[in-house]
């Protein structure tokens, strides 16, 4: 898997451009990766609703939950579905609107300097092995493409917006992910 630096696109991802992004501030350096969890409606997987949310086309009447979030202007750089399929919404060199009010180690506005990766899931539902494998491959590709991400921390939304966000939640196995990242876990092939 490879990132094209000139376009900011992941070669193997399905491209689904979101209008909810903008330029990063001048001089911003990518030095944080943020893992999120998302499902729409909550706890339900598959379907077109995450794409619709990130495109700004979520229909308020499709589910009672949507009435509260319709019109939100949010996005992520990529999402990894439960099957392992990768969807890219925002090129990595642009700012996706995934973190909201956020702070990491005293630095606010995490959107300015981070890559946002959504996993299709819920706080209390185990993520799938294909998701862990793809997340590992994507993080390695990002670290190779962008030297500033070489040793950058990988954190959850819960770490940069504590008290406001809980994702990817207790169902995300950080120990397993770390083993995959360091090569001490199962083979990535």
């Amino acid at each position: 898997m490879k990132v094209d630096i000139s376009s900011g696109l992941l070669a193997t991802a399905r491209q689904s451009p979101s209008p909810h992004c903008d330029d990063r501030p001048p001089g911003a350096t990518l030095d944080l990766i943020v893992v999120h969890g998302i499902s729409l409606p909550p706890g339900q997987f598959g379907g077109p609703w995450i794409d619709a949310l990130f495109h700004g086309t979520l229909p308020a009447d499709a589910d009672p939950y949507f009435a509260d979030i319709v019109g939100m202007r949010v996005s992520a750089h990529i999402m990894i579905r439960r099957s392992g399929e990768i969807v890219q919404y925002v090129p990595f060199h642009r700012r996706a609107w995934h973190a909201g009010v956020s702070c990491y180690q005293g630095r606010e506005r995490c959107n300015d300097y981070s890559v946002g990766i959504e996993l299709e899931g819920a706080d209390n539902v185990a993520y799938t092995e294909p998701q862990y494998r793809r997340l590992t491959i994507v993080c390695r590709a990002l670290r190779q493409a962008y030297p500033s991400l070489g040793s950058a921390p990988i954190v959850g939304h819960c770490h940069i917006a504590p008290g406001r966000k809980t994702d990817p939640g207790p169902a995300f196995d950080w120990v397993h992910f770390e083993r995959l990242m360091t090569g001490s876990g199962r083979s990535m092939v």
Side-chain angles (χ1 to χ4, degrees):
M1 191 169 298
K2 190 166 182 149
V3 175
D4 179 331
I5 298 294
S6 63
S7 68
L9 300 179
L10 189 61
T12 57
R14 173 172 64 87
Q15 298 300 316
S16 184
S18 171
H20 302 152
C21 64
D22 58 6
D23 292 331
R24 293 184 189 274
T29 301
L30 292 178
D31 57 15
L32 183 67
I33 297 173
V34 181
V35 178
H36 301 262
I38 188 170
S39 56
L40 286 178
Q44 295 182 32
F45 309 124
W49 306 126
I50 297 169
D51 283 356
L53 176 67
F54 290 164
H55 294 149
T57 60
L58 189 68
D61 60 354
D63 185 272
Y65 179 78
F66 295 171
D68 291 335
I69 63 170
V70 76
M72 288 182 71
R73 295 169 44 97
V74 296
S75 62
H77 290 94
I78 65 168
M79 177 184 57
I80 303 173
R81 291 206 171 267
R82 298 189 68 76
S83 64
E85 176 195 18
I86 300 171
V87 182
Q88 184 163 14
Y89 300 99
V90 176
F92 297 117
H93 63 275
R94 302 210 66 212
R95 179 170 53 187
W97 303 341
H98 61 94
V101 176
S102 53
C103 182
Y104 184 72
Q105 295 185 340
R107 291 175 64 202
E108 296 184 351
R109 300 178 53 93
C110 294
N111 285 339
D112 291 352
Y113 56 90
S114 68
V115 171
I117 301 175
E118 295 278 1
L119 299 177
E120 185 180 34
D123 284 9
N124 58 352
V125 178
Y127 291 89
T128 69
E129 193 59 28
Q131 286 179 301
Y132 284 109
R133 283 194 221 123
R134 289 293 191 176
L135 177 60
T136 302
I137 292 168
V138 167
C139 289
R140 286 179 179 168
L142 286 167
R143 285 179 164 179
Q144 183 173 10
Y146 300 99
S148 60
L149 287 174
S151 59
I154 301 172
V155 300
H157 200 183
C158 56
H159 300 119
I160 63 168
R164 187 175 70 81
K165 294 295 182 177
T166 58
D167 59 306
F172 186 79
D173 188 341
W174 287 101
V175 172
H176 178 56
F177 174 59
E178 177 64 23
R179 285 184 184 136
L180 291 171
M181 284 297 295
T182 61
S184 61
R186 291 175 31 171
S187 169
M188 298 302 299
V189 180

